[in-house]
mmCIF file of all heavy atoms in Angstrom:
data_model
loop_
_atom_site.group_PDB
_atom_site.id
_atom_site.type_symbol
_atom_site.label_atom_id
_atom_site.label_comp_id
_atom_site.label_asym_id
_atom_site.label_seq_id
_atom_site.Cartn_x
_atom_site.Cartn_y
_atom_site.Cartn_z
ATOM 1 N N ALA F 1131 -0.120 6.471 29.442
ATOM 2 C CA ALA F 1131 -1.353 5.648 29.503
ATOM 3 C C ALA F 1131 -1.881 5.662 30.898
ATOM 4 O O ALA F 1131 -1.106 5.738 31.910
ATOM 5 C CB ALA F 1131 -1.060 4.207 29.063
ATOM 6 N N ASP F 1132 -3.184 5.638 31.032
ATOM 7 C CA ASP F 1132 -3.800 5.694 32.339
ATOM 8 C C ASP F 1132 -3.495 4.516 33.292
ATOM 9 O O ASP F 1132 -3.529 4.658 34.515
ATOM 10 C CB ASP F 1132 -5.339 5.827 32.223
ATOM 11 C CG ASP F 1132 -5.779 7.208 31.759
ATOM 12 O OD1 ASP F 1132 -4.868 8.101 31.624
ATOM 13 O OD2 ASP F 1132 -6.964 7.427 31.542
ATOM 14 N N TYR F 1133 -3.221 3.401 32.641
ATOM 15 C CA TYR F 1133 -2.873 2.167 33.503
ATOM 16 C C TYR F 1133 -2.185 1.218 32.534
ATOM 17 O O TYR F 1133 -2.161 1.312 31.338
ATOM 18 C CB TYR F 1133 -4.112 1.542 34.102
ATOM 19 C CG TYR F 1133 -5.121 1.085 33.076
ATOM 20 C CD1 TYR F 1133 -5.125 -0.138 32.510
ATOM 21 C CD2 TYR F 1133 -6.199 1.980 32.691
ATOM 22 C CE1 TYR F 1133 -6.060 -0.533 31.588
ATOM 23 C CE2 TYR F 1133 -7.140 1.535 31.799
ATOM 24 C CZ TYR F 1133 -7.082 0.282 31.211
ATOM 25 O OH TYR F 1133 -8.005 -0.094 30.274
ATOM 26 N N GLY F 1134 -1.613 0.136 33.148
ATOM 27 C CA GLY F 1134 -0.974 -0.917 32.401
ATOM 28 C C GLY F 1134 0.476 -0.643 32.143
ATOM 29 O O GLY F 1134 1.076 0.356 32.534
ATOM 30 N N ASP F 1135 1.135 -1.619 31.491
ATOM 31 C CA ASP F 1135 2.557 -1.555 31.170
ATOM 32 C C ASP F 1135 2.796 -0.732 29.898
ATOM 33 O O ASP F 1135 1.845 -0.554 29.060
ATOM 34 C CB ASP F 1135 3.145 -2.992 30.957
ATOM 35 C CG ASP F 1135 3.004 -3.838 32.204
ATOM 36 O OD1 ASP F 1135 3.159 -3.251 33.299
ATOM 37 O OD2 ASP F 1135 2.809 -5.063 32.097
ATOM 38 N N LEU F 1136 3.994 -0.276 29.698
ATOM 39 C CA LEU F 1136 4.369 0.353 28.466
ATOM 40 C C LEU F 1136 4.799 -0.744 27.472
ATOM 41 O O LEU F 1136 5.892 -1.283 27.534
ATOM 42 C CB LEU F 1136 5.535 1.308 28.702
ATOM 43 C CG LEU F 1136 6.041 2.050 27.411
ATOM 44 C CD1 LEU F 1136 4.945 2.846 26.763
ATOM 45 C CD2 LEU F 1136 7.186 2.992 27.808
ATOM 46 N N ASP F 1137 3.882 -1.137 26.619
ATOM 47 C CA ASP F 1137 4.046 -2.245 25.728
ATOM 48 C C ASP F 1137 3.913 -1.736 24.294
ATOM 49 O O ASP F 1137 2.816 -1.428 23.847
ATOM 50 C CB ASP F 1137 3.046 -3.326 26.006
ATOM 51 C CG ASP F 1137 3.221 -4.600 25.183
ATOM 52 O OD1 ASP F 1137 4.286 -4.698 24.550
ATOM 53 O OD2 ASP F 1137 2.373 -5.474 25.232
ATOM 54 N N TYR F 1138 5.053 -1.613 23.597
ATOM 55 C CA TYR F 1138 4.951 -1.092 22.207
ATOM 56 C C TYR F 1138 6.002 -1.767 21.339
ATOM 57 O O TYR F 1138 6.937 -2.386 21.845
ATOM 58 C CB TYR F 1138 5.125 0.477 22.188
ATOM 59 C CG TYR F 1138 6.505 0.974 22.499
ATOM 60 C CD1 TYR F 1138 7.351 1.308 21.508
ATOM 61 C CD2 TYR F 1138 6.879 1.213 23.800
ATOM 62 C CE1 TYR F 1138 8.625 1.832 21.771
ATOM 63 C CE2 TYR F 1138 8.101 1.735 24.127
ATOM 64 C CZ TYR F 1138 8.966 2.016 23.077
ATOM 65 O OH TYR F 1138 10.203 2.553 23.377
ATOM 66 N N TYR F 1139 5.801 -1.620 20.002
ATOM 67 C CA TYR F 1139 6.628 -2.211 19.046
ATOM 68 C C TYR F 1139 7.320 -1.139 18.217
ATOM 69 O O TYR F 1139 6.656 -0.176 17.831
ATOM 70 C CB TYR F 1139 5.845 -3.126 18.090
ATOM 71 C CG TYR F 1139 5.145 -4.301 18.714
ATOM 72 C CD1 TYR F 1139 3.933 -4.074 19.358
ATOM 73 C CD2 TYR F 1139 5.666 -5.563 18.735
ATOM 74 C CE1 TYR F 1139 3.269 -5.127 19.971
ATOM 75 C CE2 TYR F 1139 5.027 -6.642 19.321
ATOM 76 C CZ TYR F 1139 3.823 -6.408 19.934
ATOM 77 O OH TYR F 1139 3.104 -7.478 20.533
ATOM 78 N N PHE F 1140 8.612 -1.259 17.985
ATOM 79 C CA PHE F 1140 9.334 -0.402 17.076
ATOM 80 C C PHE F 1140 9.431 -1.057 15.732
ATOM 81 O O PHE F 1140 9.885 -2.292 15.666
ATOM 82 C CB PHE F 1140 10.743 -0.105 17.630
ATOM 83 C CG PHE F 1140 11.551 0.787 16.744
ATOM 84 C CD1 PHE F 1140 11.519 2.138 16.927
ATOM 85 C CD2 PHE F 1140 12.325 0.270 15.701
ATOM 86 C CE1 PHE F 1140 12.212 3.039 16.089
ATOM 87 C CE2 PHE F 1140 13.075 1.069 14.885
ATOM 88 C CZ PHE F 1140 13.028 2.476 15.044
ATOM 89 N N ILE F 1141 8.973 -0.434 14.665
ATOM 90 C CA ILE F 1141 8.870 -1.073 13.353
ATOM 91 C C ILE F 1141 9.748 -0.258 12.377
ATOM 92 O O ILE F 1141 9.463 0.872 12.098
ATOM 93 C CB ILE F 1141 7.419 -1.059 12.850
ATOM 94 C CG1 ILE F 1141 6.476 -1.744 13.918
ATOM 95 C CG2 ILE F 1141 7.333 -1.842 11.519
ATOM 96 C CD1 ILE F 1141 5.016 -1.561 13.574
ATOM 97 N N ALA F 1142 10.820 -0.899 11.912
ATOM 98 C CA ALA F 1142 11.702 -0.242 11.003
ATOM 99 C C ALA F 1142 11.414 -0.632 9.566
ATOM 100 O O ALA F 1142 10.764 -1.648 9.331
ATOM 101 C CB ALA F 1142 13.156 -0.617 11.333
ATOM 102 N N GLY F 1143 11.849 0.165 8.640
ATOM 103 C CA GLY F 1143 11.667 -0.137 7.230
ATOM 104 C C GLY F 1143 12.406 0.792 6.344
ATOM 105 O O GLY F 1143 12.669 1.970 6.762
ATOM 106 N N ALA F 1144 12.701 0.365 5.136
ATOM 107 C CA ALA F 1144 13.408 1.253 4.211
ATOM 108 C C ALA F 1144 12.529 2.344 3.663
ATOM 109 O O ALA F 1144 12.996 3.364 3.123
ATOM 110 C CB ALA F 1144 13.987 0.427 3.036
ATOM 111 N N SER F 1145 11.196 2.157 3.675
ATOM 112 C CA SER F 1145 10.232 3.128 3.210
ATOM 113 C C SER F 1145 9.035 3.085 4.106
ATOM 114 O O SER F 1145 8.817 2.166 4.870
ATOM 115 C CB SER F 1145 9.892 2.854 1.756
ATOM 116 O OG SER F 1145 9.108 1.643 1.676
ATOM 117 N N LEU F 1146 8.159 4.151 4.005
ATOM 118 C CA LEU F 1146 6.925 4.140 4.750
ATOM 119 C C LEU F 1146 6.015 2.960 4.435
ATOM 120 O O LEU F 1146 5.370 2.411 5.288
ATOM 121 C CB LEU F 1146 6.148 5.490 4.494
ATOM 122 C CG LEU F 1146 4.897 5.678 5.296
ATOM 123 C CD1 LEU F 1146 5.164 5.661 6.784
ATOM 124 C CD2 LEU F 1146 4.274 7.017 4.930
ATOM 125 N N ALA F 1147 6.075 2.604 3.123
ATOM 126 C CA ALA F 1147 5.280 1.438 2.679
ATOM 127 C C ALA F 1147 5.687 0.133 3.450
ATOM 128 O O ALA F 1147 4.901 -0.687 3.817
ATOM 129 C CB ALA F 1147 5.331 1.239 1.201
ATOM 130 N N ASP F 1148 7.033 0.010 3.650
ATOM 131 C CA ASP F 1148 7.536 -1.138 4.355
ATOM 132 C C ASP F 1148 7.037 -1.142 5.814
ATOM 133 O O ASP F 1148 6.704 -2.197 6.355
ATOM 134 C CB ASP F 1148 9.087 -1.168 4.304
ATOM 135 C CG ASP F 1148 9.639 -1.435 2.953
ATOM 136 O OD1 ASP F 1148 8.945 -2.100 2.134
ATOM 137 O OD2 ASP F 1148 10.776 -0.970 2.684
ATOM 138 N N VAL F 1149 7.059 0.030 6.426
ATOM 139 C CA VAL F 1149 6.636 0.133 7.816
ATOM 140 C C VAL F 1149 5.177 -0.274 7.934
ATOM 141 O O VAL F 1149 4.793 -0.991 8.799
ATOM 142 C CB VAL F 1149 6.865 1.548 8.313
ATOM 143 C CG1 VAL F 1149 6.241 1.769 9.711
ATOM 144 C CG2 VAL F 1149 8.386 1.888 8.386
ATOM 145 N N VAL F 1150 4.295 0.280 7.042
ATOM 146 C CA VAL F 1150 2.907 -0.038 7.127
ATOM 147 C C VAL F 1150 2.666 -1.526 6.828
ATOM 148 O O VAL F 1150 1.802 -2.133 7.541
ATOM 149 C CB VAL F 1150 2.120 0.851 6.060
ATOM 150 C CG1 VAL F 1150 0.632 0.420 6.013
ATOM 151 C CG2 VAL F 1150 2.232 2.304 6.405
ATOM 152 N N GLN F 1151 3.379 -2.077 5.915
ATOM 153 C CA GLN F 1151 3.243 -3.528 5.650
ATOM 154 C C GLN F 1151 3.584 -4.362 6.868
ATOM 155 O O GLN F 1151 2.837 -5.317 7.241
ATOM 156 C CB GLN F 1151 4.124 -3.931 4.467
ATOM 157 C CG GLN F 1151 3.970 -5.402 4.112
ATOM 158 C CD GLN F 1151 4.949 -5.868 2.991
ATOM 159 O OE1 GLN F 1151 6.139 -5.665 3.104
ATOM 160 N NE2 GLN F 1151 4.394 -6.431 1.932
ATOM 161 N N ARG F 1152 4.634 -4.019 7.534
ATOM 162 C CA ARG F 1152 5.064 -4.791 8.737
ATOM 163 C C ARG F 1152 4.116 -4.542 9.906
ATOM 164 O O ARG F 1152 3.853 -5.467 10.700
ATOM 165 C CB ARG F 1152 6.517 -4.414 9.119
ATOM 166 C CG ARG F 1152 7.486 -4.933 8.071
ATOM 167 C CD ARG F 1152 8.875 -4.382 8.255
ATOM 168 N NE ARG F 1152 9.741 -4.873 7.200
ATOM 169 C CZ ARG F 1152 11.008 -4.447 7.038
ATOM 170 N NH1 ARG F 1152 11.499 -3.528 7.806
ATOM 171 N NH2 ARG F 1152 11.754 -4.996 6.036
ATOM 172 N N TYR F 1153 3.506 -3.365 9.981
ATOM 173 C CA TYR F 1153 2.554 -3.064 10.981
ATOM 174 C C TYR F 1153 1.296 -3.970 10.781
ATOM 175 O O TYR F 1153 0.796 -4.531 11.773
ATOM 176 C CB TYR F 1153 2.124 -1.560 10.904
ATOM 177 C CG TYR F 1153 0.861 -1.259 11.618
ATOM 178 C CD1 TYR F 1153 0.792 -1.259 13.019
ATOM 179 C CD2 TYR F 1153 -0.274 -0.788 10.928
ATOM 180 C CE1 TYR F 1153 -0.323 -0.929 13.672
ATOM 181 C CE2 TYR F 1153 -1.378 -0.458 11.572
ATOM 182 C CZ TYR F 1153 -1.508 -0.563 12.964
ATOM 183 O OH TYR F 1153 -2.619 -0.182 13.605
ATOM 184 N N THR F 1154 0.870 -4.110 9.571
ATOM 185 C CA THR F 1154 -0.317 -4.941 9.312
ATOM 186 C C THR F 1154 0.020 -6.447 9.481
ATOM 187 O O THR F 1154 -0.941 -7.231 9.698
ATOM 188 C CB THR F 1154 -0.874 -4.691 7.883
ATOM 189 O OG1 THR F 1154 0.120 -5.005 6.887
ATOM 190 C CG2 THR F 1154 -1.273 -3.249 7.734
ATOM 191 N N TRP F 1155 1.243 -6.814 9.431
ATOM 192 C CA TRP F 1155 1.563 -8.230 9.804
ATOM 193 C C TRP F 1155 1.212 -8.488 11.293
ATOM 194 O O TRP F 1155 0.807 -9.587 11.653
ATOM 195 C CB TRP F 1155 3.070 -8.464 9.653
ATOM 196 C CG TRP F 1155 3.532 -8.665 8.274
ATOM 197 C CD1 TRP F 1155 2.740 -8.784 7.154
ATOM 198 C CD2 TRP F 1155 4.882 -8.582 7.779
ATOM 199 N NE1 TRP F 1155 3.554 -8.842 6.048
ATOM 200 C CE2 TRP F 1155 4.840 -8.745 6.367
ATOM 201 C CE3 TRP F 1155 6.111 -8.394 8.402
ATOM 202 C CZ2 TRP F 1155 6.029 -8.740 5.583
ATOM 203 C CZ3 TRP F 1155 7.270 -8.395 7.624
ATOM 204 C CH2 TRP F 1155 7.225 -8.576 6.211
#
């Protein structure tokens, strides 16, 4: 990134649908 902190979330799930659901939370 051009500036700022490295701020990211790791999202685990049993399926891709679970990952997308948790992302939208």
Side-chain angles (χ1 to χ4, degrees):
D1132 285 356
Y1133 60 88
D1135 299 327
L1136 179 58
D1137 186 8
Y1138 69 96
Y1139 299 81
F1140 180 90
I1141 308 170
S1145 67
L1146 182 59
D1148 291 334
V1149 172
V1150 173
Q1151 182 184 54
R1152 291 169 181 173
Y1153 165 67
T1154 60
W1155 286 346

